[in-house]
Amino acid sequence: MKKNYSFYSVLTAIPITLLILVGFSSGQPGNFTGSPGDGGATCTQCHSVSSANFGGLAALTGLPNGYMANQSYSLNLDVQGSTSTKIGFNITAELADGTKIGSWTPGTGTRLRTDSNGLTHNSTSTGSGQNSWDMTWTAPATDLGAVTFYYVTNQTNNNGSTSGDQVTTGQSGALLTNGDETFTAFEMYPTQVTSLLNINLSNTDNGTLMIYNMTGSKVKTFKLDRLNQLNMSDLTSGIYLAQLVVDNKISVERFIKQ
């Protein structure tokens, strides 16, 4: 008897397709931020990205240059200027080796990922055209080092399939400070550096400055005097964190390498 394999293949594919569409509209609970801990995977694992451009740029705000242990921070992920009416996201926080760090509290239109190590949108969010999400991240209880926040957004064309969408990724970093012991009596300029970064210590004669990139990796270390001109010309363009340590007290500032 002749078997209609195509017919059976279609029947098999229907529930799988429905699972993807229904599940993702209520949030992408998996690990899809593009981070090392998420295996570099993003929404493009399932969504076919075309030349469609909805114009939206994702921005994470509310993150301090330096975070304090056990402190909770109110963050906002916003997709600015998008013409898409159905947008989703996925966010997590990690150390440089991909270890997840801190804890998350969902806000309106968000829910925890399956692993609880990040957030994603929920069905209320995608049904309302929401493009901005408030959330809370709580820092770990001890000094675990530099943390990087990885996020991905998916602006869809709402055509009932996974084709023709726009996926964007981003990341932001922060370092641990010591709260009341933070050392703040120093001057750093300019904040947009082409070659030389100036560090002036007003209340001490020495300290150590460590430069971190946005993936949490240390790229430079300097021993400081009272007045310092530090060569940054070999750094690639991007955002960096300068962590100053003086007598076991820490302060963090951010600068841009042009």
Side-chain angles (χ1 to χ4, degrees), residues 58-196:
L60 181 65
T61 57
L63 184 67
N65 287 343
Y67 64 89
M68 292 186 290
N70 279 327
Q71 179 70 41
S72 293
Y73 295 93
S74 297
L75 309 180
N76 175 266
L77 181 61
D78 184 31
V79 181
Q80 304 166 347
S82 176
T83 59
S84 173
T85 60
K86 196 171 186 180
I87 305 174
F89 79 95
N90 200 295
I91 188 170
T92 193
E94 298 179 0
L95 300 177
D97 63 0
T99 301
K100 304 296 183 180
I101 184 173
S103 60
W104 295 88
T105 303
T108 301
T110 74
R111 68 183 182 92
L112 287 170
R113 303 190 332 179
T114 302
D115 63 0
S116 297
N117 289 321
L119 297 177
T120 184
H121 56 281
N122 62 22
S123 57
T124 302
S125 169
T126 56
S128 66
Q130 184 173 347
N131 66 349
S132 181
W133 301 270
D134 293 322
M135 60 197 72
T136 301
W137 178 78
T138 301
T142 57
D143 184 353
L144 298 178
V147 58
T148 302
F149 294 80
Y150 296 88
Y151 50 92
V152 62
T153 64
N154 184 21
Q155 302 171 63
T156 74
N157 56 13
N158 201 17
N159 66 352
S161 74
T162 57
S163 63
D165 302 328
Q166 178 181 324
V167 175
T168 58
T169 59
Q171 61 189 63
S172 300
L175 301 177
L176 187 77
T177 64
N178 287 339
D180 293 338
E181 295 182 352
T182 298
F183 178 82
T184 58
F186 82 100
E187 182 182 17
M188 183 182 78
Y189 62 93
T191 56
Q192 298 190 29
V193 180
T194 54
S195 58
L196 295 178

Side-chain angles (χ1 to χ4, degrees), residues 140-250:
T142 57
D143 184 353
L144 298 178
V147 58
T148 302
F149 294 80
Y150 296 88
Y151 50 92
V152 62
T153 64
N154 184 21
Q155 302 171 63
T156 74
N157 56 13
N158 201 17
N159 66 352
S161 74
T162 57
S163 63
D165 302 328
Q166 178 181 324
V167 175
T168 58
T169 59
Q171 61 189 63
S172 300
L175 301 177
L176 187 77
T177 64
N178 287 339
D180 293 338
E181 295 182 352
T182 298
F183 178 82
T184 58
F186 82 100
E187 182 182 17
M188 183 182 78
Y189 62 93
T191 56
Q192 298 190 29
V193 180
T194 54
S195 58
L196 295 178
L197 179 68
N198 297 279
I199 302 288
N200 296 342
L201 307 183
S202 57
N203 294 335
T204 185
D205 290 328
N206 58 76
T208 302
L209 186 77
M210 290 162 285
I211 307 297
Y212 292 84
N213 61 24
M214 286 295 97
T215 64
S217 298
K218 186 191 302 180
V219 295
K220 282 181 176 291
T221 300
F222 299 94
K223 293 296 184 181
L224 302 184
D225 300 315
R226 185 175 290 270
L227 302 176
N228 309 268
Q229 278 196 329
L230 310 176
N231 188 0
M232 301 292 169
S233 59
D234 59 332
L235 294 179
T236 58
S237 298
I239 301 174
Y240 292 86
L241 297 173
Q243 183 186 65
L244 176 65
V245 180
V246 176
D247 295 330
N248 294 319
K249 298 177 182 179
I250 302 173

Side-chain angles (χ1 to χ4, degrees), residues 24-43:
F24 289 10
S25 67
S26 62
Q28 173 43 276
N31 308 335
F32 291 96
T33 63
S35 71
D38 288 351
T42 70
C43 298

